[in-house]
Amino acid sequence: MKHMTAKSMRKALKTKWIEQIYQKDSVDSTLTWAKEEAESCLLANRNTVLFLADKQTAGKGRFGRVWDSPAGENVYMTLLLLRPPIEPVNAASLTLVMGLSVAQAVRESAGLLAGIKWPNDVVLAGKKICGILTEMRIGKEKPEYVSIGVGINMNQTDYPPELQDKATSLALQKGGAVCREEVTARVLERFEENYKCFLKTQDLSLLKNEYENLLLNLNQQVRILEKDSESLGIARGITASGELLVEDEKGAVRQILSGEVSVRGLYSYV
């Protein structure tokens, strides 16, 4: 499998919105790497910088999980948004914006019916293909930067036994390898469009319909797994700030915050 390079990535992109692309064959985590370089990017007055790696040795997932990151098969990247014009309280919604962008791009570039499992897992055939993690540093009550880490399973075909019923890749679902640069470029272009919509309102109100159209949980029974309890309900969509709306058996609707709970299907991961 050929290496992705900053040059091959730039060639595939149809936008100059990303001002600089850094690439390494192997890093511990692109999120950590982006954090280490953020200060120099701020001093250089950059707005948008991309960090790409062919392999991660300590990829990060939600709730402190490790993201499986073999070499040369998938895409591991962090998009660094410097001095973004957003309120800190709204930054978490960018995770959902990226999830929407990945699902849209997979549909467009790979022709596969990707969907979203709230809040930001991108799913094919009931299995996860993408993980997203957003971090932020605040200075003087404004974000100095927001970093959005993305791992997309593209050409990986072997998974450890504990992941085989939970993870898949574009190649497994398509029946052949995909061009990593092509899919990644479409993700970044979609994110650029969606991010511009997000900035108009500082929330998901202009993206809500598109997000819900791809939301696999919509109008499905879900299990809400909280720290000390578990409950059932019907997912009814999202709020403008990205909470999941869940209707209980009495018809009452509550808003679920993604940082506090996990949501599962009644009989499966989705």
Side-chain angles (χ1 to χ4, degrees):
M1 195 68 66
K2 72 180 179 67
H3 282 286
M4 284 179 74
T5 64
K7 187 176 179 181
S8 66
M9 191 66 248
R10 176 62 71 191
K11 190 176 177 183
L13 274 170
K14 295 189 176 80
T15 175
K16 293 195 167 43
W17 180 65
I18 293 168
E19 298 164 332
Q20 191 158 5
I21 301 174
Y22 292 102
Q23 191 275 337
K24 285 185 178 180
D25 289 346
S26 179
V27 294
D28 50 358
S29 153
T30 60
L31 264 172
T32 303
W33 179 27
K35 202 181 297 184
E36 291 165 353
E37 297 289 341
E39 201 61 51
S40 63
C41 292
L42 285 165
L43 287 170
N45 284 318
R46 297 276 185 248
N47 294 307
T48 315
V49 180
L50 181 68
F51 296 82
L52 277 174
D54 229 35
K55 177 185 179 181
Q56 293 185 129
T57 57
K60 297 179 181 180
R62 282 181 82 216
F63 304 119
R65 299 186 188 107
V66 174
W67 181 264
D68 187 44
S69 310
E73 297 177 337
N74 302 324
V75 166
Y76 316 111
M77 65 180 177
T78 289
L79 185 62
L80 189 65
L81 305 174
L82 298 138
R83 300 186 186 90
I86 61 175
E87 295 301 318
V89 70
N90 299 326
S93 296
L94 292 176
T95 314
L96 281 74
V97 176
M98 182 59 83
L100 171 63
S101 305
V102 172
Q104 290 169 328
V106 167
R107 284 173 167 247
E108 290 162 7
S109 59
L112 296 167
L113 295 179
I116 302 166
K117 174 187 166 290
W118 181 87
N120 55 18
D121 286 354
V122 183
V123 173
L124 276 174
K127 297 179 181 181
K128 185 171 176 174
I129 59 159
C130 174
I132 301 162
L133 195 62
T134 298
E135 296 181 347
M136 171 176 58
R137 189 172 85 188
I138 299 174
K140 296 180 181 175
E141 299 181 8
K142 293 286 184 183
E144 289 189 347
Y145 64 79
V146 173
S147 48
I148 308 171
V150 187
I152 308 173
N153 296 341
M154 292 209 185
N155 291 320
Q156 185 176 355
T157 54
D158 291 319
Y159 289 92
E162 67 272 16
L163 291 179
Q164 286 175 5
D165 63 336
K166 298 180 185 73
T168 189
S169 67
L170 303 187
L172 282 172
Q173 296 303 316
K174 198 173 175 66
V178 298
C179 175
R180 292 186 292 162
E181 286 94 339
E182 180 70 23
V183 179
T184 305
R186 300 296 85 78
V187 169
L188 295 167
E189 289 157 12
R190 269 300 193 167
F191 183 83
E192 179 185 4
E193 293 170 20
N194 292 333
Y195 182 54
K196 285 177 181 173
C197 283
F198 176 84
L199 290 180
K200 288 177 185 175
T201 58
Q202 292 268 330
D203 64 20
L204 299 165
S205 52
L206 296 177
L207 299 167
K208 188 173 179 292
N209 285 345
E210 287 189 66
Y211 183 94
E212 289 180 345
N213 284 341
L214 298 181
L215 183 61
L216 299 171
N217 312 99
L218 188 65
N219 298 324
Q220 299 297 313
Q221 195 162 30
V222 292
R223 282 185 297 153
I224 312 298
L225 307 174
E226 298 174 80
K227 198 176 288 184
D228 302 314
S229 65
E230 182 177 317
S231 58
L232 298 179
I234 305 289
R236 295 300 189 196
I238 61 167
T239 67
S241 50
E243 293 95 353
L244 185 68
L245 297 168
V246 177
E247 182 181 342
D248 67 20
E249 68 277 1
K250 295 176 182 173
V253 176
R254 61 183 285 218
Q255 298 179 6
I256 306 294
L257 286 164
S258 65
E260 299 173 357
V261 301
S262 290
V263 171
R264 293 283 185 274
L266 205 54
Y267 303 108
S268 66
Y269 159 72
V270 179

